[in-house]
Amino acid sequence: MKRTFFRLLAFLLTAIAGRAQTPPPPVISPEVHSDNRVTFRFRAPNDKEVAVSLEGNPQPFPMQKTIKVSGA
C-alpha cells in the first residue's frame, strides 16, 4: 500500500512540475506598423538595460520597457 501511495505521489509531483515549466508564448518581432513605425520586442525580464544597434548609426538606441496589463 505504501509503495502505491509513493508512486501516486511521485506521479502527481512530476505532473505539477511539468505544468509549471510551460514555455511563454513566442515573441513576434519586429512588427512594422502602417505608419512605418517599427516595434522590436525582446524577452529579458532580468536585464536592466537593452539597446538596438542599427547599421550606419554609431550609437545604439536604448529600448523602453513596457508592461502589458491583461484585460485593459
Side-chain angles (χ1 to χ4, degrees), residues 55-70:
E55 188 175 322
N57 195 357
Q59 295 290 343
F61 293 99
M63 295 180 76
Q64 297 176 345
K65 184 174 185 176
T66 57
I67 301 172
K68 283 193 172 187
V69 179
S70 59

Side-chain angles (χ1 to χ4, degrees), residues 3-70:
R3 182 177 279 171
T4 305
F5 173 73
F6 285 119
R7 284 184 183 173
L8 179 61
L9 181 63
F11 172 75
L12 290 174
L13 290 176
T14 303
I16 291 170
R19 204 175 243 215
Q21 296 175 1
T22 55
V27 175
I28 300 172
S29 180
E31 179 182 353
V32 180
H33 302 278
S34 61
D35 60 355
N36 292 330
R37 289 181 299 126
V38 179
T39 300
F40 293 96
R41 289 185 178 84
F42 188 82
R43 183 177 290 126
N46 298 325
D47 285 355
K48 302 293 182 204
E49 186 177 319
V50 177
V52 177
S53 295
L54 298 177
E55 188 175 322
N57 195 357
Q59 295 290 343
F61 293 99
M63 295 180 76
Q64 297 176 345
K65 184 174 185 176
T66 57
I67 301 172
K68 283 193 172 187
V69 179
S70 59

